[in-house]
Amino acid sequence: MIMRKLLIPLQGDFIAPRFDLATEILIVRFEDGEILGEPRTIIMERPSDEGLCQMIVEENITDLVCGGIEELHYNFLAWKKVAIHDAVIGSWQDAVKKVLSGNLESGTILPSSVNSVLTL
């Protein structure tokens, strides 16, 4: 199988609610459901939707998991053949597990995020 690269905009331990406001980015390389090497975290100087789109293209990202994303950026990344899972709520760890197993869909609310809200 082909090596793929997943990008997730972060807010702490969770998927950032908005693609265009994230300053912390996680990149995970994977193949056949297994992580390759160490995931990388990148801190951006400031939030930038254009900068994030440029990073996705330059890093040859194949998969994106995010919260909200503007239609313009969604369409651009889809045109660049990035597999986009948007409107996802939850921890980035749970999202990575779902991507590796091939079971993440757009609009998913990951169970651990429901539990953390219930325990507040």
Side-chain angles (χ1 to χ4, degrees):
M1 192 166 200
I2 298 170
M3 193 270 297
R4 296 166 61 189
K5 286 174 102 175
L6 166 67
L7 184 141
I8 304 176
L10 303 178
Q11 183 174 335
D13 289 334
F14 295 92
I15 300 161
R18 287 192 36 194
F19 174 84
D20 59 339
L21 295 181
T23 56
E24 190 175 358
I25 310 302
L26 177 74
I27 297 178
V28 179
R29 293 181 318 122
F30 68 101
E31 185 175 24
D32 293 329
E34 298 290 325
I35 294 175
L36 304 174
E38 284 294 314
R40 288 189 300 147
T41 302
I42 298 170
I43 305 296
M44 297 175 65
E45 190 173 307
R46 59 181 174 72
S48 169
D49 45 3
E50 288 87 7
L52 202 44
C53 284
Q54 181 179 349
M55 179 189 299
I56 288 169
V57 171
E58 288 174 357
E59 289 277 343
N60 298 312
I61 299 298
T62 58
D63 298 79
L64 169 67
V65 173
C66 62
I69 183 170
E70 289 194 26
E71 187 176 2
L72 174 73
H73 304 299
Y74 183 99
N75 290 339
F76 170 75
L77 295 171
W79 175 67
K80 289 293 189 177
K81 306 284 191 260
V82 175
I84 304 165
H85 305 282
D86 64 333
V88 177
I89 299 171
S91 77
W92 66 262
Q93 295 95 335
D94 291 338
V96 168
K97 289 176 193 169
K98 285 277 204 183
V99 168
L100 292 176
S101 68
N103 294 324
L104 185 65
E105 296 181 20
S106 292
T108 298
I109 299 174
L110 298 164
S112 66
S113 60
V114 172
N115 293 338
S116 65
V117 170
L118 295 175
T119 59
L120 289 178

